[in-house]
Amino acid sequence: MTDQPHDPELVPLRDKTLAAITAATDSDTLEQIRVSCLGKKGSLTGRLKELGKLPAEARPAAGAAINEVKDALEEALAARGESLKQAELALRLTGEPFDITPPGRGFPAGAPHPVADVMEELIDIFTSLGFAVEEGPEVETDRYNFQMLNFPDDHPARDMQDTFYVQDGRRLLRTHTSPVQVHAMLKRKPPLAVIAPGRVYRCDSDVTHSPVFHQVEGFLVDRRVTMGHLKATLELFVQRLYGRQTKIRLRPSFFPFTEPSAEVDVSCVLCGAKGCRVCKQTGWLEILGAGMIDPNVLTACEIDPEVWGGFAFGLGVERIAMLKYGIDDIRLLYENDPRFLGQFA
Ligand code: FA5
């Protein structure tokens, strides 16, 4: 250490503190020693602050001497601190009793998403009626999504505003599950009873429309199929889903791939068909589109429409879930807010 003519107490202070550090037997005592010499009001810190009062030529040597002591103390504090920490840990591991009896903290249980839940219920109902499950690609061609389903070239559904096209311009994200009808009919011979659950995409977004949503397509091809078979199947379906008192109503509509076509309403399950905000006081709610498969579609799929006929329907899974749980904004289903989803656990 440099000579300290101006501060004869520095060396004794260093030695006294080093001895105290060595003698410390716990971290709290060590911390007190650190504060007493290196803290804001510590003895060594005080000396550093006082440096300015020394004559300019004495300052470098005095400063260097104080910093040397400071470094020595810091090093000793760190070393002693580490060994005390290890010793305290060893003591805790061997000595401190560990109570294994308190009950554990549970993790909140997850639950199926309401859309997945309803989807599964729909699949269960239709498979119990004898429908087989088929799947089709979500990235489709214009041919399967539109042409084979009898859409005229200038049909508005092809418009860029409704359909998401893949960058190559030749493929698109399917706008409905109806192309699975075509895949299934080209692959297999009638009689056929198929449902096709899956994700579909449309450039559409508001409280009842989502750009990605789910449909379940259903269709049946056989001899002598009538609109009565369609109505009976749908009636059975809604009664299984919403209860025996539920009624359906078919309203004339238009789809290029069915003739005749219908929009199907169900008696409002929220108000018991008395009229409420959700059914706009009508007592009825639209849940699906349906109809008799157009002979042009059967012909395009190499099925003779003189021999075979069929019905088809396509329902919106989110809409059915919204009705079932009284949800008034489709977007809630996709925000993944645990406060919302937790209600279905
Ligand atoms: C169709 O998609 C036809 N492919 C259905 C069909 C199949 C008709 C077979 C005849 C025979 P539509 O565009 O109406 O039809 O859609 C069917 C259902 O999907 C609607 O009743 C609605 O419940 C739901 N839906 C439609 N657009 C959206 C959307 N953006 N978000 C959520 N659900 C929607």
Side-chain angles (χ1 to χ4, degrees):
M1 175 180 276
T2 9
D3 254 352
Q4 284 306 299
H6 76 285
D7 189 353
E9 284 171 24
L10 192 62
V11 171
L13 173 68
R14 179 196 65 185
D15 294 344
K16 202 177 92 198
T17 314
L18 285 176
I21 290 171
T22 312
T25 52
D26 60 77
S27 310
D28 289 346
T29 312
L30 202 64
E31 178 61 9
Q32 280 165 19
I33 298 169
R34 189 192 67 77
V35 172
S36 74
C37 57
L38 300 174
K40 255 194 205 156
K41 294 180 185 155
S43 47
L44 214 57
T45 315
R47 281 175 164 77
L48 279 168
K49 283 184 193 157
E50 297 287 301
L51 272 178
K53 293 182 183 160
L54 292 179
E57 64 280 8
R59 273 182 226 153
I66 298 172
N67 279 327
E68 216 175 300
V69 173
K70 189 171 171 235
D71 289 348
L73 295 184
E74 275 174 348
E75 203 178 304
L77 281 165
R80 185 69 188 143
E82 186 53 35
S83 68
L84 283 177
K85 211 165 86 186
Q86 294 299 335
E88 281 164 12
L89 181 67
L91 189 73
R92 275 186 60 198
L93 289 178
T94 52
E96 203 172 88
F98 182 67
D99 185 357
I100 55 160
T101 56
R105 237 180 304 144
F107 288 101
H113 190 279
V115 171
D117 213 22
V118 166
M119 184 70 113
E120 207 160 296
E121 196 177 348
L122 302 184
I123 293 171
D124 277 354
I125 295 173
F126 284 112
T127 49
S128 77
L129 294 176
F131 285 78
V133 179
E134 291 257 342
E135 283 185 350
E138 289 178 24
V139 180
E140 267 296 0
T141 56
D142 184 273
R143 180 173 144 81
Y144 281 92
N145 198 76
F146 295 126
Q147 279 174 42
M148 297 285 279
L149 289 165
N150 203 33
F151 276 82
D153 279 344
D154 56 356
H155 194 281
R158 291 172 182 245
D159 201 292
M160 294 293 277
Q161 280 164 12
D162 290 318
T163 309
F164 289 114
Y165 284 89
V166 177
Q167 245 171 1
D168 65 12
R170 287 182 301 108
R171 290 172 302 158
L172 49 88
L173 299 183
R174 67 179 178 188
T175 55
H176 52 172
T177 41
S178 300
V180 187
Q181 287 187 39
V182 181
H183 287 290
M185 286 195 266
L186 285 175
K187 213 163 52 187
R188 301 207 267 115
K189 296 278 155 265
L192 285 171
V194 170
I195 53 160
R199 214 174 285 144
V200 300
Y201 305 83
R202 287 183 200 178
C203 205
D204 222 357
S205 184
D206 60 36
V207 290
T208 51
H209 294 84
S210 167
V212 183
F213 62 103
H214 296 79
Q215 289 188 336
V216 172
E217 188 82 7
F219 61 96
L220 180 141
V221 181
D222 208 333
R223 293 184 163 89
R224 292 182 291 278
V225 181
T226 69
M227 201 84 176
H229 294 121
L230 170 63
K231 188 168 181 236
T233 306
L234 294 177
E235 222 154 36
L236 207 72
F237 157 67
V238 296
Q239 288 181 357
R240 291 254 183 108
L241 189 68
Y242 293 125
R244 291 189 71 87
Q245 72 294 345
T246 319
K247 295 187 171 45
I248 58 166
R249 168 174 94 168
L250 274 64
R251 283 178 293 109
S253 184
F254 173 79
F255 294 104
F257 38 94
T258 47
E259 181 57 37
S261 303
E263 301 276 9
V264 180
D265 297 338
V266 28
S267 54
C268 182
V269 289
L270 297 175
C271 63
K274 290 190 188 72
C276 68
R277 190 176 63 88
V278 176
C279 65
K280 301 195 178 82
Q281 311 304 331
T282 62
W284 296 96
L285 286 159
E286 184 206 315
I287 56 161
L288 61 94
M292 303 306 291
I293 300 176
D294 193 291
N296 287 344
V297 176
L298 293 174
T299 306
C301 294
E302 296 154 17
I303 292 174
D304 184 355
E306 298 294 330
V307 181
W308 304 99
F311 67 68
F313 55 86
L315 45 91
V317 181
E318 279 77 358
R319 297 274 176 85
I320 290 183
M322 288 168 77
L323 260 188
K324 183 167 174 184
Y325 297 117
I327 300 166
D328 60 4
D329 188 336
I330 197 167
R331 291 168 292 201
L332 287 168
L333 291 168
Y334 292 108
E335 280 167 1
N336 285 335
D337 184 334
R339 290 168 302 176
F340 172 77
L341 293 176
Q343 299 174 72
F344 305 96

